[in-house]
Amino acid sequence: MSTTLEPWLRSPLPNIIDELQPVASMFIAAKEDILKAVSAITANTLWEKSGGAASIGFHIVHLAGATDRLLSYAEGAELTDEQKEELSQEREADHLRPALDYVVLQLAQSMDLAVRRLEGVTAEQLSTQRELGRARVPTTMRSLIAHAGEHAARHAGQIVTTVKIVTTHV
């Protein structure tokens, strides 16, 4: 059994308000769980699909990009041209098949940046009205940040499970 405490037990993180400590822990846990799960896979395994499920690579690329986009909306920003281009490439990831080292680095950097983006957010800002996407769906900063964290946790679980499936099937 590992002696390293889970991220939620290592908090509080400096410069992050209590309300966002759980979300920061979700980003850290997602990064750590994914890095551990993919540490022994091959480049081919990264893009393998099983039972119609999305590939590990797609989940990683999507998680990194979606986290950035959700936090941009939470900050009240519109998507940049670069983010829109990355979204287009994300949709084609299974065909473009970026290298394993590249997608893992992008994921790690994305989760680290997500934690840093929570620094300095105040409790008063959390109820600030925001809009999501081109449809400008009304929401709040709190909801976007919370969704970014639960989205990271969900995809981390999918990645860990998919790694087990594609590396153990015959």
Side-chain angles (χ1 to χ4, degrees), residues 3 13 41 44 46 62 65 75 77 82 110 122-123 130-131 159:
T3 58
L13 297 171
I41 68 169
N44 286 337
L46 179 68
H62 171 69
E75 294 162 348
E82 182 180 350
S110 172
T122 66
R130 297 293 191 226
E131 294 177 333
I159 291 163

Side-chain angles (χ1 to χ4, degrees), residues 21-120:
Q21 290 289 330
V23 178
S25 293
M26 287 181 221
F27 292 137
I28 295 166
K31 173 189 166 184
E32 291 177 3
D33 290 349
I34 293 165
L35 293 180
K36 180 179 177 186
V38 302
S39 65
I41 68 169
T42 65
N44 286 337
T45 304
L46 179 68
W47 300 106
E48 187 174 334
K49 295 181 183 181
S50 182
S55 68
I56 298 160
F58 172 80
H59 282 294
I60 292 173
V61 171
H62 171 69
L63 174 53
T67 301
D68 178 48
R69 293 187 297 275
L70 286 166
L71 293 178
S72 290
Y73 287 127
E75 294 162 348
E78 297 288 326
L79 296 186
T80 65
D81 290 339
E82 182 180 350
Q83 286 171 310
K84 291 175 186 174
E85 177 60 28
E86 288 172 358
L87 176 58
S88 176
Q89 290 178 1
E90 177 183 312
R91 293 178 178 144
E92 297 296 319
D94 281 323
H95 302 293
L96 297 172
R97 298 171 71 105
L100 175 61
D101 290 346
Y102 175 79
V103 297
V104 170
L105 178 63
Q106 292 301 111
L107 180 276
Q109 290 175 340
S110 172
M111 295 298 102
D112 291 344
L113 179 58
V115 172
R116 287 194 306 274
R117 289 169 85 171
L118 299 180
E119 293 176 357

